[in-house]
Amino acid sequence: MFANSSADTLIQIVTPEGKRTPQSEYSDAIADVTIDTVRELYEDLVVVRRIDAEATALQRQGELGLWAPLLGQEAAQVGSARALHSEDFVFASYREHGVAYCRGVDPTEMLRFWRGSTQSGWNPYDYNMTTPAIIVGSQGLHAAGYGLGMKFDGAEGAVITYFGDGATSQGDISEALGFAASFSAPVVFFCQNNQWAISAPVSVQTHITIAERGRGFGVPSLRVDGNDVLAVLAATRIALARAREGSGPTLIEALTYRMGPHTTSDDPTRYRSAAVDDEWKRKDPIERIRLLLERAGGLDEEFQSRVRDRADTTADQLRAGCLGTIEPSAMSLFDHVYAEPHSLISEEREHYSAYLAGFEGARS
């Protein structure tokens, strides 16, 4: 598969117009995908976008401290996540809400971190997926180490780690790629090249494709249309298969676009033109699959109504769960610091409790 492929070749199976392309080399990886599977992927895309829109609205209404929107990147996340097996482990950055949804994470759990009502979000071992990593690129090192541990233990499965184009300029990602290559760790490095690292364009990060950079580390690379959910599914399946068979890491560059702000504290109109936004809107990941289904006769009104209802119900549950969150008490700061009781933590808890009691006494 990699022998005849170049890191410059863009893998595309569905065009923005909803037409299938003659990509037999990669189409083989999704030969089992039926029209019903495409319908399921379409539903995922729509629901994930609805989750993102509702979370953004909650932040604008003061219910979340911050949110990192994924608008435009749904196919990159859904396609890659649906390629995973249950035993695979995900090391995420801070924007993989779509991956979390596909891994079964309750959308309400996604919001607790951004609301400040938890110090993490969810138990990673419940879903084989980490909670958001705010330090840019650090999750690459965690993935490489975890992957090597799986290899030493003879464990089944593989590891995938997500990061953006800006993270490729961080030393952590370079170290992770080098380490994984040297020790043939079963890791898929999945770069969502959404064109912007906050206000810095990808041209500032590299003068070659990000996929090409894998060659310098001895890591085979694939470049995929990140707005094509079927192409992403195929590429990720191929990379995961290499990892599981012991052939080592793969770098995937998913070419996509961040249609919204970097986070809800950002104003993208200050550094990019509306013309570029309009160009990428014509490559919308949901619209192209809708068109594909329409061509195949798989887009009846009953199905579309069911998808809308699922999206609306999920959004309603998300909002109710967010507003119903029990805010943490000050003393919960000391919970879950160590797995077992620790004398230092006990002492600090007592001192802080006395301080709070004295503070409340002074106020009264």
Side-chain angles (χ1 to χ4, degrees):
M1 180 66 70
F2 286 88
N4 299 319
S5 301
S6 166
D8 292 326
T9 302
L10 184 68
I11 303 170
Q12 185 183 80
I13 292 176
V14 182
T15 70
E17 295 74 31
K19 299 178 181 179
R20 292 291 293 259
T21 61
Q23 282 274 10
S24 59
E25 183 181 11
Y26 300 102
S27 295
D28 289 347
I30 55 168
D32 63 318
V33 171
T34 64
I35 191 65
D36 287 336
T37 308
V38 177
R39 283 159 62 100
E40 291 171 1
L41 291 170
Y42 176 78
E43 182 172 316
D44 285 341
L45 295 171
V46 172
V47 173
V48 166
R49 179 167 291 186
R50 188 71 174 83
I51 289 171
D52 186 62
E54 193 68 23
T56 300
L58 284 164
Q59 194 283 327
R60 299 306 191 199
Q61 294 160 10
E63 299 298 341
L64 301 180
L66 191 72
W67 181 251
L70 59 75
L71 182 63
Q73 299 179 222
E74 296 90 353
Q77 296 195 19
V78 169
S80 57
R82 289 307 183 195
L84 297 169
H85 294 176
S86 59
E87 66 270 17
D88 297 331
F89 209 101
V90 178
F91 286 83
S93 70
Y94 44 75
R95 203 183 301 277
E96 278 71 57
H97 322 304
V99 178
Y101 170 77
C102 291
R103 294 300 275 177
V105 177
D106 184 330
T108 299
E109 290 185 291
M110 301 180 203
L111 267 57
R112 288 176 183 151
F113 173 83
W114 303 100
R115 187 174 170 86
S117 57
T118 179
Q119 296 177 35
S120 181
W122 59 81
N123 182 345
Y125 293 107
D126 287 344
Y127 309 102
N128 274 11
M129 178 175 178
T130 61
T131 53
I134 300 301
I135 301 174
V136 177
S138 63
Q139 69 275 15
L141 289 172
H142 305 156
Y146 192 93
L148 187 60
M150 291 179 72
K151 180 180 179 181
F152 286 162
D153 291 345
E156 295 183 359
V159 176
I160 188 169
T161 182
Y162 293 86
F163 51 93
D165 45 292
T168 62
S169 293
Q170 294 286 344
D172 285 1
I173 294 298
S174 292
E175 292 174 22
L177 285 164
F179 188 94
S182 295
F183 295 97
S184 198
V187 182
V188 176
F189 292 89
F190 194 96
C191 176
Q192 292 179 84
N193 177 1
N194 65 16
Q195 311 302 309
W196 294 94
I198 307 183
S199 59
V202 68
S203 58
V204 173
Q205 315 299 334
T206 177
H207 289 176
I208 58 175
T209 67
I210 290 172
E212 281 185 282
R213 299 176 87 173
R215 295 173 179 168
F217 298 95
V219 176
S221 303
L222 294 170
R223 196 169 196 238
V224 62
D225 182 342
N227 284 12
D228 177 356
V229 70
L230 293 185
V232 174
L233 176 64
T236 310
R237 280 182 170 183
I238 291 167
L240 287 168
R242 287 193 71 254
R244 296 188 189 107
E245 71 186 17
S247 297
T250 303
L251 170 63
I252 296 176
E253 178 189 4
L255 199 63
T256 182
Y257 189 73
R258 168 170 54 81
M259 294 171 68
H262 175 71
T263 69
T264 47
S265 65
D266 172 43
D267 179 8
T269 64
R270 298 183 63 182
Y271 54 81
R272 71 186 192 199
S273 71
V276 176
D277 289 354
D278 291 342
E279 177 187 347
W280 279 92
K281 285 177 183 177
R282 292 191 288 271
K283 303 174 184 177
D284 186 281
I286 296 180
E287 178 63 9
R288 75 172 66 188
I289 297 303
R290 188 192 71 79
L291 291 171
L292 178 68
L293 285 172
E294 192 174 69
R295 291 174 183 278
L299 200 68
D300 57 84
E301 181 53 39
E302 181 182 355
F303 168 67
Q304 293 186 79
S305 177
R306 178 168 61 83
V307 170
R308 286 193 297 268
D309 289 346
R310 173 75 181 277
D312 289 342
T313 299
T314 302
D316 290 344
Q317 293 172 345
L318 177 75
R319 176 171 287 272
C322 175
L323 300 181
T325 297
I326 299 175
E327 305 302 333
S329 66
M331 294 306 297
S332 67
L333 175 69
F334 302 97
D335 297 342
H336 311 300
V337 177
Y338 289 97
E340 303 292 336
H342 194 287
S343 59
L344 177 62
I345 296 299
S346 298
E347 181 182 349
E348 290 179 344
R349 181 185 288 109
E350 291 175 5
H351 287 170
Y352 191 54
S353 178
Y355 164 77
L356 290 178
F359 181 75
E360 290 299 324
R363 289 181 61 186
S364 61

